[in-house]
Amino acid sequence: MDLRIFTEPQQGADYETLLTVAKATEDLGFDAFFRSDHYLRMGDADGLPGPTDAWITLAGLARETSRIRLGTLMTAATFRLPGVLAIQVAQVDRMSGGRVELGLGAGWFGQEHEAYGIPFPKEKFGRLEEQLEIVTGLWATEVGKTYDFDGTYYQLKDSPALPKPAQGRVPVLIGGHGARRTPRLAARYADEFNMPFSSVEDTAAQFGRVRDAVAEAGRPADALTYSNALVVCVGRDDQEVARRAAAIGREVDELRTNGLAGTPAEVVEKIGRYAEVGSTRLYLQVLDLSDLDHLELISDKVQSQLP
């Protein structure tokens, strides 16, 4: 089971804070540092000092880390034109020496689009599908040849399809709860399917749909990695769990139900339940980025007990 650290900087974090957490992620033996791609806080957080751009952040981290994977859960297709996104991700991948992964979603948070003047089209899923085809198509085009695309939403003509990523293929993550279109899209374009903030039972059902879609698409059964994203709140005892829950404005019982919360033994047991339904990677949503002792505890007492 791979454990990855997943942050939500729109809730309030500057680059220096993210760099500190990313370096701790690397030093403590976690597999990757991922971040959300949002421009506006959610809920009661003050969001100070203001948003950081996901791909600018990852470019900086690419030069200041050496081992961990780096990526987004999820970049919004509404934020960037697909040709620009392909260039950005390829460049950051080269800056990192081939450690980047692209999580790409349709975009859903209308208020942040309004706040920063970003168009928020009604038809988002079709745009996402075209973006996936364009981004992966640009990367796959042989050097010296050009790429063309004539879609409903985007048109490219005689693109040199440069630069190329350092990796032969940048892993693409697709996720979500949709029962029909999402599995089909994952089966066609994804290297990993991520089920966000869901129960073991709902995860099992969605993984089954994706596996069926993969088989229908003619891909090998093991073509995709299956993962979950879950909020994490671990304490050495009940008092420490309660303190960490209070620090992020959540209730312990709710966190135990909807996330990975409790003592290390409790969390290891619940991780085992996700593993039983096919999850091999977990994105641990860490909401208090000042609590590095939390990461140390997870590394020492949770990660060390996992196969």
Side-chain angles (χ1 to χ4, degrees), residues 206-230:
Q206 186 69 333
F207 283 1
R209 296 184 193 104
V210 175
R211 290 190 186 98
D212 289 345
V214 168
E216 290 173 9
R219 295 179 68 184
D222 61 353
L224 269 65
T225 295
Y226 293 86
S227 65
N228 288 87
L230 294 161

Side-chain angles (χ1 to χ4, degrees), residues 90-109:
Q91 182 178 5
V92 177
D93 191 55
R94 297 189 72 86
M95 292 169 69
S96 73
R99 293 183 286 122
V100 159
E101 304 184 11
L102 171 63
L104 189 60
W108 61 271
F109 190 17

Side-chain angles (χ1 to χ4, degrees), residues 208-274:
R209 296 184 193 104
V210 175
R211 290 190 186 98
D212 289 345
V214 168
E216 290 173 9
R219 295 179 68 184
D222 61 353
L224 269 65
T225 295
Y226 293 86
S227 65
N228 288 87
L230 294 161
V231 62
V232 65
C233 180
V234 185
R236 294 170 181 86
D237 52 36
D238 288 346
Q239 290 74 24
E240 191 167 77
V241 174
R243 175 176 64 77
R244 288 201 162 105
I248 60 174
R250 304 279 284 270
E251 297 293 330
V252 172
D253 289 345
E254 178 266 323
L255 287 170
R256 279 196 164 102
T257 299
N258 298 317
L260 298 173
T263 63
E266 290 178 284
V267 170
V268 168
E269 186 277 331
K270 191 165 186 182
I271 288 174
R273 292 163 55 195
Y274 282 96

Side-chain angles (χ1 to χ4, degrees), residues 67-86:
R67 180 188 59 80
I68 51 173
R69 308 288 294 177
L70 301 166
T72 52
L73 281 182
M74 300 282 187
T75 285
T78 50
F79 287 175
R80 297 165 178 87
L81 296 171
V84 174
L85 181 61

Side-chain angles (χ1 to χ4, degrees), residues 34-38 54-55 71-82 85 89 101-109 112-113 118-121 123-133 135 154 171-178 181-182 185-186 189-190 192-194 196:
F34 271 59
R35 59 157 292 162
S36 60
D37 193 0
H38 287 294
W55 287 101
T72 52
L73 281 182
M74 300 282 187
T75 285
T78 50
F79 287 175
R80 297 165 178 87
L81 296 171
L85 181 61
V89 177
E101 304 184 11
L102 171 63
L104 189 60
W108 61 271
F109 190 17
E112 69 184 336
H113 292 73
I118 303 168
F120 191 57
E123 175 47 57
K124 293 182 284 295
F125 201 90
R127 293 173 185 271
L128 170 62
E129 186 163 9
E130 289 194 8
Q131 286 222 0
L132 286 162
E133 183 166 344
V135 170
Y154 304 103
V172 172
L173 290 72
I174 294 173
H177 302 86
R181 293 197 296 178
T182 297
L185 209 60
Y189 294 106
E192 178 177 337
F193 179 79
N194 180 264

